[in-house]
Amino acid sequence: MPELPEVETTRRGIEPHLQGRTIVRTLVRQPRLRWPVPADLAQRLTGHQVASVGRRAKYLQIRLADHDGCLLVHLGMSGSLRLVEADQPAGRHDHVELWLDSGQILRYTDPRRFGAWLWSNGLQTHPLLARLGPEPLEADFHGEHLYQRSRGRSLAVKPFIMDNQVVVGVGNIYASEALFAAGIDPRRPAGRLTLDECQRLATEIRAVLDRAILQGGTTLRDFVGGDGQPGYFSQQLLVYGRAGEACSRCGQPLQDVRLGQRASVFCGHCQH
């Protein structure tokens, strides 16, 4: 599933091609995605100019210049957005297209159809966004926030930081990598972390996500960026997917445990 760096990479890839462009046609080939595509989506979008492409958690936000509403796009488990030329034929899994006055098409491909194209008249109150925690790359996310939210929590720290109501976008890959960088055992109860540990963990979450975005995200299964190119951060993973291999720090075999139904690889010697 594309995680926050993959979605941010997509946003950065498509925004220069959408911003200031007018949508001249909206084509919905398959409306049955995770939630039905609104029947009036073409009416809302066609003929309007794109003001910006933003992101909240893993939801892309395509805002229009002369409209208060906003298009929300979620890539689901296998979705991707690509800019193609108008003469490039659509494939079996190409479900939604925005035709631009530049002659290009923003094409949404989703083999599993777990993604979403939705319309929102109020981003702050939309049920999918209203209860989300802070963005991990913005100033309101810091160690003090993690410390206060973790008090009294017996939940293991890894699923704790993967909770979107605590902080958005820290998926399985990046939670594992950040905890390794911070030297924190993923099994520890979140409520037992010290303030210093929370500050270190917040710093490493930000650093891991920043590095992943710079590398274009992580290539897993079907993910590609907005330019059709895969990410390369997978080449830098130190623990995720490496159970049984030698730790890059101490040389001890990396261990594997399941937390919250997710595989978690860590070093029992370096992480405490």
Side-chain angles (χ1 to χ4, degrees):
M1 177 183 294
E3 297 190 23
L4 185 147
E6 288 80 18
V7 179
E8 177 63 17
T9 298
T10 296
R11 187 198 70 79
R12 295 182 185 187
I14 66 175
E15 184 177 41
H17 301 276
L18 267 66
Q19 193 169 35
R21 292 297 181 182
T22 298
I23 300 169
V24 298
R25 184 185 183 192
T26 304
L27 180 58
V28 180
R29 290 194 173 87
Q30 173 55 271
R32 296 190 300 274
L33 301 180
R34 183 175 182 181
W35 297 284
V37 177
D40 62 350
L41 187 66
Q43 179 182 346
R44 291 182 180 276
L45 298 177
T46 304
H48 294 278
Q49 187 182 73
V50 176
S52 64
V53 181
R55 179 190 55 76
R56 180 71 172 105
K58 293 193 284 187
Y59 291 91
L60 291 167
Q61 302 172 335
I62 300 178
R63 302 184 181 92
L64 305 180
D66 55 352
H67 204 298
D68 291 335
C70 178
L71 173 65
L72 294 180
V73 177
H74 195 286
L75 300 179
M77 296 184 68
S78 61
S80 64
L81 287 169
R82 300 183 187 180
L83 285 148
V84 301
E85 299 303 320
D87 60 356
Q88 182 170 327
R92 174 185 175 186
H93 301 298
D94 296 335
H95 303 314
V96 187
E97 294 180 350
L98 299 183
W99 293 50
L100 308 172
D101 62 355
S102 64
Q104 289 186 306
I105 297 173
L106 180 68
R107 178 169 286 167
Y108 177 66
T109 305
D110 190 353
R112 300 186 185 182
R113 287 194 284 147
F114 285 171
W117 280 59
L118 302 170
W119 182 261
S120 174
N121 287 312
L123 290 177
Q124 300 303 320
T125 58
H126 193 282
L128 293 173
L129 305 179
R131 300 180 65 187
L132 293 177
E135 290 284 333
L137 302 179
E138 295 185 0
D140 56 348
F141 174 69
H142 41 68
E144 179 68 28
H145 168 78
L146 286 182
Y147 184 73
Q148 294 300 331
R149 289 299 303 268
S150 65
R151 295 307 86 190
R153 299 290 301 273
S154 59
L155 182 68
V157 62
K158 187 185 175 195
F160 170 74
I161 62 174
M162 291 176 62
D163 182 348
N164 279 327
Q165 294 186 30
V166 174
V167 56
V168 301
V170 186
N172 195 31
I173 299 170
Y174 304 106
S176 296
E177 295 296 310
L179 286 164
F180 177 73
I184 296 172
D185 190 317
R187 302 169 297 180
R188 281 183 60 190
R192 295 185 182 179
L193 296 181
T194 67
L195 177 58
D196 285 346
E197 287 173 325
C198 287
Q199 290 172 336
R200 189 165 71 244
L201 180 55
T203 297
E204 295 300 342
I205 287 173
R206 184 188 302 269
V208 166
L209 292 173
D210 275 334
R211 289 198 301 274
I213 291 169
L214 288 173
Q215 293 293 321
T218 304
T219 299
L220 287 177
R221 297 191 178 94
D222 304 310
F223 172 74
V224 291
D227 57 359
Q229 299 300 314
Y232 296 100
F233 187 68
S234 58
Q235 299 173 10
Q236 300 181 13
L237 297 177
L238 298 179
V239 290
Y240 181 86
R242 295 188 58 214
E245 297 182 25
C247 173
S248 60
R249 291 179 180 170
C250 70
Q252 296 294 316
L254 295 173
Q255 301 176 40
D256 188 12
V257 66
R258 296 197 71 83
L259 294 170
Q261 306 304 314
R262 306 297 295 273
S264 299
V265 181
F266 68 103
C267 177
H269 181 264
C270 297
Q271 295 174 251
H272 307 286

